[in-house]
Amino acid sequence: MLGDLGFSTLVIIFISLVVSITIHEAMHAFTAHWLGDDTAHREGRISLNPLRHVDPFSTIVLPLITLVLFKVPLLAAKPVPFNPNRVKYEEYGAGLVGIAGPLTNAFLALLASGFVHLFSGALASGVIEVFVIFAQINVGLFVFNMIPIPPLDGSRLLYAFAPESLQGIMTQLEQFGIIIVFGLVIAFHGFINIIININQSILKFLF
């Protein structure tokens, strides 16, 4: 997904990750509060302060490792706490909270690509590269977080429409889900290739 991983590129990737993850998590918290649950609000998660959302290992170290190994940043932030029983529209409200983060990343990628299209002839190539990388990072976050395996955000949307039998299985998987996802990434090249291909298709459309 990302080509040259020189020092300057890694700095841009790191800053893009922190900014994108912060906005992603803040939107989870904002959506939950908007739908009636103030759990995240009381814990200060409706915030653009990265320190409230970033986990040192899973948000910073892990994506740098996976960038070097797979050319794709895989990561997780501190989970935004919310009570699905307190949001409006029950399971559908919880689904909205879940997809608020990935949809925010999709919107940020769209904004960045629009900026590149509008100003590519007027700005230095280094500036354009920053926006291209920012778009790549946000597309990656969108695709990865929409994987419908608990506790990833896409699972909230699947849960809202799933039959009770599948909901029960998903609830049991929640505590092991992130291990399953990273196990798939490490053990099965086909899985990471699917993620890469989806990323590349979206980026091809945007650019």
Side-chain angles (χ1 to χ4, degrees):
M1 180 181 138
L2 292 162
D4 176 29
L5 292 179
F7 178 75
S8 61
T9 301
L10 286 174
V11 170
I12 296 169
I13 291 170
F14 173 75
I15 294 173
S16 296
L17 280 170
V18 171
V19 170
S20 302
I21 281 291
T22 297
I23 299 173
H24 172 116
E25 297 299 328
M27 283 303 298
H28 278 314
F30 172 80
T31 305
H33 188 253
W34 178 58
L35 290 172
D37 176 33
D38 66 347
T39 305
H41 175 64
R42 286 187 282 106
E43 296 195 14
R45 297 299 297 274
I46 305 180
S47 171
L48 294 179
N49 178 359
L51 296 178
R52 295 190 177 275
H53 306 291
V54 168
D55 176 81
F57 175 76
S58 63
T59 314
I60 298 174
V61 177
L62 181 62
L64 292 177
I65 292 173
T66 56
L67 264 173
V68 172
L69 294 178
F70 307 116
K71 305 298 183 183
V72 177
L74 303 178
L75 70 157
K78 293 178 184 177
V80 170
F82 87 102
N83 185 344
N85 297 317
R86 296 184 63 188
V87 298
K88 298 176 184 176
Y89 316 123
E90 300 176 334
E91 294 164 358
Y92 303 106
L96 287 174
V97 173
I99 65 172
L103 289 182
T104 297
N105 293 125
F107 180 68
L108 291 173
L110 185 62
L111 282 180
S113 65
F115 188 91
V116 170
H117 285 298
L118 287 172
F119 301 105
S120 59
L123 296 173
S125 59
V127 176
I128 295 300
E129 181 187 10
V130 170
F131 283 94
V132 170
I133 291 175
F134 187 77
Q136 290 177 313
I137 291 296
N138 277 281
V139 168
L141 290 172
F142 168 73
V143 172
F144 180 66
N145 280 285
M146 287 302 293
I147 295 172
I149 300 176
L152 297 178
D153 297 328
S155 68
R156 281 290 175 187
L157 186 62
L158 176 61
Y159 188 91
F161 294 96
E164 287 189 13
S165 57
L166 181 56
Q167 288 179 345
I169 294 172
M170 292 177 70
T171 300
Q172 293 176 357
L173 283 176
E174 181 118 19
Q175 58 183 323
F176 306 109
I178 202 67
I179 298 174
I180 294 173
V181 171
F182 288 123
L184 287 171
V185 169
I186 294 170
F188 298 100
H189 290 293
F191 183 77
I192 193 67
N193 286 336
I194 290 172
I195 295 176
I196 291 173
N197 288 336
I198 294 173
N199 273 271
Q200 290 175 339
S201 296
I202 295 175
L203 288 167
K204 183 177 180 181
F205 171 77
L206 290 176
F207 291 104

